[in-house]
């Protein structure tokens, strides 16, 4: 900075004046300023340079400058040197310039300053030419030559001898010194002294001496202890880098392409590195190849590996291409020449061999991962180091018992890694080494096994408790390290091993100590990540897949063994890849499942475990859709996998915990698809099948003991499931999954509908629901049969906890608890038996009952919390618990099943005897097996028989407390059906059978307050709702339930004897439903056989109506379910021909409509249609099913039942009472005037037996015409009123037939109004009809009187003709109407009481009177009407869930008073009327017995036309009583208030109402009496009519 302005121009101008002094001043200050020494030096140089430069340019004279310089020179000691530097620079600058003057100025300046700078300095710094011009030297050329000579002498003349040949003696002595025998007392220090003296004496080059020492060391590697200290002490005399350079020079020597570095050199370098005599960084740079080249090579390997993979996965179409492939392979082999020597790896190997882990590690860190160890020598060297390091620990904990093993000596070298004595040491060193080894541990299987055994030993210690907290933490860290080693080293190494099954098993020894969560995590890493980490593994993966494809293409059932062996070989090393491919094939082709399962028998335990993981991974694959594209069925891949799961887990010992946990997790997440897997696993492993396709024989077998179930209950022969079911049980118990799975399934059942089912197709939701339910039933069955009592009781909580805390549905909760109760009771019973040794049957029963009470008492208390308190008003908790806790096993012994199985075994034994080819010892074995089985079955049967007897005894004792019926019997039945029967009958097929049996049992036990009739009636009426709300399998079970119920009913229906025996005197068949306290069991209140048959016909009709309705809805669920139900009840329904035909037509229509649209419905309908046709021969005409028109069946029967008077009627007249209501209304008026008691009873009979009434009513019609006219005039008004009131009751049934299924709830409101409207329309009709009927009867009588004798024959023929044409129409009409009678007509009395909108009190009173009369007047055996009335209402009410439709009850005292009065009066009246009637009858019978026939026919025809020809108009309005709960209460109140005051009037009114409503019903009774008398004096006309009837019957 000062120098920049060192010499301003003014200074030069005024040099003498001021410039000189200023310059001197500047130089002085610069010299003194020594603070920044360097800066000062430069500034002085600058100042002097500028001064000199002014001289050269001629601005200043040289003498002026030399004077100043003379002064300046004193300022610093080194000033002459600085000045010489300035001259040197100027010398170069001026010699380049062309201006000679400047050069001259320069020369003059130097000459002037010669006294200031010594010539030697100038000679050093100036050019020889300049020196010559200055006169300092004579000749520049000579000067140059001289300097070269001096330099050569100084720098290039050799002082020491470098080459052996130059000083061979010295070097020879040196080599002899180093090569002597070193075993004596010779030390490195002694030798070093000798070497020094040799160097001195022979002037040897020290570097060359060092080189020779290294050479000798290479040749004598065993003398480390000598050479290392020698080199170390020698190095004190050298520069530190020398040794490294000499070694580097040695390595360079071998770096030409053909050179191969000797291992001895690597070893020497390694030892020197280990002793820190050289630094790795210094040596590393001398080695080839460079790091970049290594990285490039690594990348190239990866690319090549990927190319190989690509080639392997390419689809090859022709054989030519395979040839091309082979050629390519050959070329590649030629290309791969020997790679150039990699000195870094050589050094690394040497370092590993001598145990210098630190330096080896730092070399490996410079390279890509696993690059170094991918070279086999290095991998083996590292393995050897690990062997040595782990030796003591392995000897202590790893050696298997009884194995000697070959101990490995430790390295002689003290600097090698410390050997591991504890697991902690293992973590510090060995695990690190293994991580560098990675997959290349595969080179040393023995080390692999050692590491695994150490892992096993560690896990043993890790899992044993009792260590301190600190130790535990250390162990945790160690455990995680072990897992890492397994993931990074063991599994990849296994992949590279060549099908080493022993290693796989060894590894499993350690793996099985890990929880499955860890194992599966490891398998996941292995499968999805490991194979991409290394080019070798990439290739192996591709080759494995290639090989797997090859095997799978050729796998068939026939070559399972050889293929299995190949699969086994492949699986030992790469199970994940192989199984992944196999599973993908199974998902596509399910016919591979069996051969694949069979071919997996050569796997190791580890492979089975990996297979389990692969299956779970395949199941959980998020990319796969679980539904087919139509969204109505589960995907086939999932079904295939599930099926494979079941088969493979059963056949092989694979751990199940993971799979079960997976299913549980899916359920927890609200996904039930995967239950399919659980279902398959339980089915295959435990042999528990869940199928809806069971035959009745199988079902029967399923109600027996375990042995019978196994023999006769399942489709497949269940063999050898003992071990597999034990495994499944253990897996469930060990991981506490048994109860959680049950609860999750039970909860998920509704979840399927409300959570999963949102967007899904209804069909799929049903499928999933069924799957969930079936799996629950199956799984629960498995637990019940496999868990010990203690296990079960310990795990399953009490019923109230299950329902209230876990929100398990009640049916499922009882299903789970049921085995617990059974176990509990039997164990208590055994205890009590042991305590006292009484062998009497009574004692045993008493003990059994005691043990039941002990076990069930807490259950009775627990169930109270499950329902509202009012439920327990009708049924007792004891009854509820009993129903839910028993099973079919407890109720009945399936003797026929036992016999069937025993007979099968006998046949088998006979076949064994007859078989000549079987060797005798095998025969003996087989026979023994059969005999043992037979004995077991017989023993089991005996045991079950005793058990059933005990249970029945218990029920007999309990039954009186079962049904409390504090409200009404009706209510009781509702509760029973709602809370017991319906939930359980659709739970499982056996439960369906159980429910039907239980109902029968409750009936047989004569249980108080249980109305069997009501119960059956409710079940068969209005099944539309129940059917429509079922899933497919539930529909099947519901069908089974109905089938069993129908079976019982059909049995009673089939034979009077059976009916009388099983129902005749039972409280369940009482027809009057009183308040609870008054159960009269007199014969009069019992439903007689004939009326029961009418009831059954009504039920059949109801079923037809519901079925037709469902089939006509067009709804998928309705149609499917009703077809399933119909198929199930086919053995017992339809039994009546016309009902069967109606069904057949509807089903045929479905077949046509659904053929293209919904093939599954079409298939169902076609199946049912075929079966229905095959049942046709077993169907009977309606009049055979119940006595609708006996004359049409045969004259004898008719006379017995109806008397000869009715015998002359044509078959076509057996039409329902709905018509007769109108046709014989006049006669009913007469009857009104008759004794009311008799009429009352008749009324009942008629209600139930419309057939009888038609025939009798008509036969009597003429005799009554006159009276009817009178009655009509008297009571026309009254009648019309009553009809208006009454017909609503008659029409409820007729109303809802068509609408039944859909509109009931709406109708309830509208019913009353509609009915009232309809009645108004109908009543005038009926009056008109009555008048017409009268006229017709008159005229026909007159005509008949004339032509009776002549026309009988011709008439029968004509009638035949007439019948032929409209017979079908009539049939249908008759059937439908008769059904209505069987329902609607019968219902009228009671229904009226509930329904009639205005005069409730009257109608209800009439009922009461009816009841009273029933009690007292026993003239007729048929009393079904009131029951039926009630029944029909109850049905409807059950469909609507109303619960209060029973007959109104009076207080007992009032009832009795009213009874007495009414009965007295009615008796008197009835006697008078009977006398009158009998006279009339006698007079007219003879005259009009024939003429009766035609009148009713014509009238019925006319009526048909008026009512819409066939009965269909009536059917379209069936019974749907809108029995609001309020009406009952009101009725009760009204009844009480009016009963005393209006008894007489009411009774008359009531009777009128009944007559008008049920039409001709009343006559039947009345007519019976007539007919009895008629029989005595029957005319010939009557007989002929009988004949005519026979013919018409045939014609039909």
């Amino acid at each position: 900075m000062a120098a920049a302005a060192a010499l301003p121009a003014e200074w030069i101008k005024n040099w003498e004046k001021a410039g000189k002094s200023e310059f001197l001043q500047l130089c002085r200050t610069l010299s003194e300023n020594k603070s920044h020494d360097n800066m000062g030096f430069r500034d002085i140089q600058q100042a002097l340079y500028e001064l000199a430069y002014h001289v050269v340019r001629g601005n200043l004279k040289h003498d002026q400058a030399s004077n100043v310089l003379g002064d300046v020179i004193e300022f610093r000691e080194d000033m002459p040197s600085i000045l010489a530097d300035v001259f040197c620079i100027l010398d170069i600058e001026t010699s380049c310039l062309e201006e000679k003057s400047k050069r001259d100025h320069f020369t003059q300046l130097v000459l002037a300053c010669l006294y200031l700078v010594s010539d030697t300095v100038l000679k050093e710094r100036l050019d020889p030419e300049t020196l010559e011009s200055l006169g300092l030297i004579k000749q520049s050329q000579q000067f140059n030559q001289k300097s070269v000579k001096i330099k050569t002498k100084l720098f290039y003349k050799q002082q020491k001898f470098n080459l052996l040949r130059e000083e061979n003696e010295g070097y020879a002595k040196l080599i002899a010194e180093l090569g002597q025998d070193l075993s004596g007392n010779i030390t490195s220090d002694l030798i070093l002294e000798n070497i020094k003296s040799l160097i001195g004496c022979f002037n040897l080059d020290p570097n060359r001496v060092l080189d020779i020492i290294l050479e000798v060391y290479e040749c004598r590697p065993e003398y480390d202890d000598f050479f290392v200290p020698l080199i170390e002490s020698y190095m004190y005399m050298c520069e530190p880098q020398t040794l490294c350079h000499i070694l580097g020079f040695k390595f360079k020597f071998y770096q030409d392409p053909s050179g191969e570095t000797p291992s001895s050199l690597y070893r020497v370098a390694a030892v020197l590195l280990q002793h820190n005599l050289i630094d790795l960084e210094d040596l590393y740079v001398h080695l080839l190849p460079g790091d970049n080249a290594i990285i490039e090579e690594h990348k190239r390997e990866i690319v090549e590996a990927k190319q190989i993979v690509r080639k392997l996965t390419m689809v090859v179409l022709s054989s030519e291409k395979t040839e091309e492939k082979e050629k390519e392979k050959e070329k590649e082999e030629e290309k791969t020449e020997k790679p150039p020597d990699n000195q870094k790896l050589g050094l690394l190997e040497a370092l590993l061999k001598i145990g210098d882990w630190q330096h080896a590690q730092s070399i490996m860190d410079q390279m890509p991962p696993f690059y170094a160890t991918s070279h086999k020598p290095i991998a083996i060297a590292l393995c050897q180091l690990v062997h040595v390091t782990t030796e003591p620990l392995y000897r202590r904990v790893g050696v298997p018992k009884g194995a000697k093993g070959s101990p490995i000596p430790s390295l002689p070298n003290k600097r090698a890694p410390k050997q591991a004595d504890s697991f902690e040491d293992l973590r510090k060193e060995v695990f690190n080494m293994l991580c560098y080894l990675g997959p290349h541990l595969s080179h040393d299987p023995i080390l692999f096994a050692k590491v695994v055994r150490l892992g096993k030993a560690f896990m043993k210690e890790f899992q044993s408790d009792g260590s301190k907290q600190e130790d535990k933490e250390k162990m945790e860290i160690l455990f995680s390290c072990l897992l890492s080693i397994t993931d990074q080293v063991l599994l990849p190494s296994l992949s590279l091993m060549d099908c080493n099954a022993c290693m796989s098993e060894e590894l499993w020894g350690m793996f099985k100590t890990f929880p499955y969560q860890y194992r599966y995590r490891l398998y996941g890493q292995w499968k999805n990540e490991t194979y991409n980490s290394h080019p070798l593994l990439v290739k192996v993966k591709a080759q494995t897949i290639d090989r797997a494809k090859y095997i799978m293409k050729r796998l068939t059932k026939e070559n399972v063994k050889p293929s299995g062996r190949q699969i086994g070989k492949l699986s030992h090393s790469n199970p994940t890849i192989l199984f992944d491919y196999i599973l993908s094939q199974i998902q596509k082709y399910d016919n591979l499942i069996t051969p694949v399962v069979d071919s997996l028998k050569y796997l190791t335990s580890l492979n089975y475990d990996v297979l389990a993981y692969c299956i779970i991974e395949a199941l959980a694959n998020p990319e796969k859709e679980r539904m087919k594209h139509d969204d109505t069925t589960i995907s086939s891949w999932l079904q295939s996998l599930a099926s494979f799961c079941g088969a493979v887990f059963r056949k092989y010992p694979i751990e199940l915990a993971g799979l079960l946990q997976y299913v549980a997790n899916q359920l927890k997440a609200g996904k039930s698809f995967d239950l399919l897997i659980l279902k398959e696993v339980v089915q295959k492993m435990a042999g528990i099948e869940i199928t809806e396709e069971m035959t009745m024989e199988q079902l029967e077998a399923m109600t027996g003991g375990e042995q019978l179930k196994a023999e006769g209950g399942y489709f497949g022969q269940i063999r050898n499931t003992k071990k597999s079911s034990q495994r499944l049980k253990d897996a469930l118990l060990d991981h506490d999954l048994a109860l959680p799975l049950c609860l999750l399934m039970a909860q998920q059942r509704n979840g399927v509908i409300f959570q999963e089912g949102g967007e899904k197709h209804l069909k799929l939701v049903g499928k999933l629901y069924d799957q969930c339910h079936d799996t629950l039933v199956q799984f629960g069955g498995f637990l019940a049969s496999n868990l010990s009592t203690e296990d079960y009781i310990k795990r399953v909580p009490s019923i109230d906890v299950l329902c209230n805390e876990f929100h398990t549905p009640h049916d499922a909760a009882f299903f789970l608890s049921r085995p617990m109760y059974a176990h509990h009771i039997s164990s208590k019973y055994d205890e009590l038996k042991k305590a006292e040794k009484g062998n009497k049957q009574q004692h045993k029963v008493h003990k059994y009952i005691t043990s039941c009470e002990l076990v069930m008492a807490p259950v009775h208390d627990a169930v109270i919390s499950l329902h509202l308190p009012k439920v327990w008003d009708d049924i007792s908790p004891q009854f509820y618990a009993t129903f839910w806790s028993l099973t079919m096993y407890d109720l009945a012994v399936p003797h026929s099943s036992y016999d069937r199985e025993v007979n099968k075994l006998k046949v088998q034994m006979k076949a064994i005897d007859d078989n000549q080819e079987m060797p005798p010892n095998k025969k003996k074995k087989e026979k023994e097996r059969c005999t043992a089985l037979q004995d077991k079955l017989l023993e089991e049967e005996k045991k079950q028989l005793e058990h059933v007897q005990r249970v029945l005894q218990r029920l007999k004792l309990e039954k009186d407390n079962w049904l409390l019926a504090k409200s009404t019997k009706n209510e009781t039945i509702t509760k029973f059906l709602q809370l017991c029967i319906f939930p359980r009958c659709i739970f499982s097929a056996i439960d369906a059978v159980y429910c039907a049996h239980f109902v029968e049992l409750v009936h047989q036990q004569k249980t108080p307050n249980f109305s069997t009739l009501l119960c059956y009636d409710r079940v068969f009426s209005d099944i539309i709702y129940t059917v429509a709300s079922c899933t497919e399998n539930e529909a099947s079970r519901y069908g089974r339930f109905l089938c069993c119920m129908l079976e019982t009913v059909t049995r009673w229906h089939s034979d009077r004897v059976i009916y009388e025996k099983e129902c005749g005197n039972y409280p369940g068949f009482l027809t009057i439903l009183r308040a609870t306290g008054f159960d009269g069991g007199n014969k009069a209140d019992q439903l007689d056989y004939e009326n029961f048959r009418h009831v059954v016909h009504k039920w059949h009709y109801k079923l037809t109506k519901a079925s037709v309705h469902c089939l006509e809805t067009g709804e998928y669920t309705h149609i499917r379910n009703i077809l399933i139900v119909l198929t199930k009840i086919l053995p017992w329904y339809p039994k009546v021909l016309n009902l069967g035909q109606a069904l057949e037509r509807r089903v045929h229509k479905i077949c046509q409509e659904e053929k293209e649209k919904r093939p599954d419905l079409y298939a169902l309908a076609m199946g049912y249609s075929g079966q229905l046709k095959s049942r046709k021969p077993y169907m009977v005409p309606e009049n055979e099913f119940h006595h609708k028109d006996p004359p049409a069946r045969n004259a004898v029967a008719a006379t017995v039942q109806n008397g000869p008077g009715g015998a002359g009627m044509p078959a076509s007249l057996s039409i329902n009472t709905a018509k007769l209501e109108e046709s014989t209304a006049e006669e009913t008026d007469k009857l009104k005037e008759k004794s009311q008691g008799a009429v009352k009873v008749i009324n009942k009979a008629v209600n139930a037996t419309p057939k009888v009434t038609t025939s009798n009513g008509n036969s009597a019609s003429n005799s009554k015409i006159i009276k009817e006219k009178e009655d009509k005039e008297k009571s026309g008004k009254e009648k019309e009123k009553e009809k208006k009131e009454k017909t609503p009751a008659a029409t409820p049934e007729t109303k809802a037939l068509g609408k039944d299924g859909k509109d009931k709830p709406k109708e309830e409101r509208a019913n009353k109004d509609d009915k009232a409207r309809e009645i108004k329309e109908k009543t005038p009709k009926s009056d008109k009809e009555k008048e017409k009927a009268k006229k017709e009867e008159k005229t026909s009588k007159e005509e008949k009187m004339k032509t009776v004798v002549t026309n009988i024959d011709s008439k029968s023929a004509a009638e035949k003709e007439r019948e032929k044409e409209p017979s079908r129409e009539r049939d249908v009409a008759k059937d439908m109407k008769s059904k209505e009678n069987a329902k609607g007509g019968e219902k009228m009395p009671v229904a009226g009481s509930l329904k009639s909108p205005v005069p409730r009190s009257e109608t209800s009173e009439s009922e009461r009177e009816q009841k009273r009369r029933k009690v007292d007047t026993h003239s007729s055996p048929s009393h079904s009407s009131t029951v039926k009335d009630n029944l029909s209402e109850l049905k409807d009410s059950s469909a609507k869930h109303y619960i209060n439709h029973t007959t109104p009850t009076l207080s007992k005292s009032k009832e009795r008073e009213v009874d007495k009065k009414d009965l007295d009066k009615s008796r008197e009246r009835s006697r008078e009327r009977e006398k009158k009637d009998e006279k009339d009858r006698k007079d007219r019978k003879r005259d009009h017995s024939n003429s009766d026939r035609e009148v009713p026919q014509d009238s019925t025809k006319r009526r048909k036309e008026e009512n819409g020809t066939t009965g269909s108009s009536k059917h379209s309005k069936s019974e749907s009583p809108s029995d609001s709960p309020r009406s009952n209460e009101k009725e009760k109140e009204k009844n009480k208030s009016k009963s005393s005051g209006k008894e007489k009037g009411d009774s008359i009114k009531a009777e009128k109402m009944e007559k008008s409503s049920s039409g001709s019903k009343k006559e039947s009774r009345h007519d019976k009496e007539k007919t009895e008398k008629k029989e005595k004096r029957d005319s010939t006309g009557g007989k002929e009519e009988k004949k005519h009837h026979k013919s018409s019957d045939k014609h039909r």
Side-chain angles (χ1 to χ4, degrees), residues 215-226:
E215 290 277 352
V216 176
Y217 182 23
E218 263 187 69
C219 299
R220 305 183 77 181
E222 64 276 16
Y223 292 111
D224 285 341
D225 298 341
F226 171 76

Side-chain angles (χ1 to χ4, degrees), residues 121 278 575 648 685 999 1139 1165 1207 1247 1344 1354:
V121 174
I278 49 176
V648 90
M685 291 189 75
V999 173
L1139 301 185
N1247 274 345
K1344 279 179 201 163
S1354 62

Side-chain angles (χ1 to χ4, degrees), residues 122 129 159 210 240 300 302 565 643 661 680 690 708 775 906 950 1012 1062 1072 1249 1251 1432:
L122 289 172
E129 281 78 22
Q159 298 299 310
L210 181 55
R300 194 168 59 251
I302 291 173
R565 290 195 176 104
S643 169
Q661 186 65 56
E680 284 286 343
I690 289 294
L708 182 64
T775 313
K906 284 177 180 166
R950 287 197 295 269
T1012 315
E1062 295 190 14
I1072 299 176
T1249 57
K1251 304 160 198 166
S1432 60

Side-chain angles (χ1 to χ4, degrees), residues 1344-1358:
K1344 279 179 201 163
M1345 295 278 281
K1346 293 168 193 169
T1347 57
V1348 160
V1349 181
T1350 56
N1351 278 358
I1352 278 171
D1353 294 343
S1354 62
K1355 209 172 220 181
S1356 65

Side-chain angles (χ1 to χ4, degrees), residues 555-560 564 567 590-600 652:
L555 177 64
T556 61
K557 280 182 186 172
E558 287 69 43
N559 65 3
V560 159
I567 286 175
D590 57 357
N591 57 348
L592 271 176
I593 292 174
T594 315
V596 166
V597 170
D598 291 341
S599 67
L600 293 178
Y652 303 110

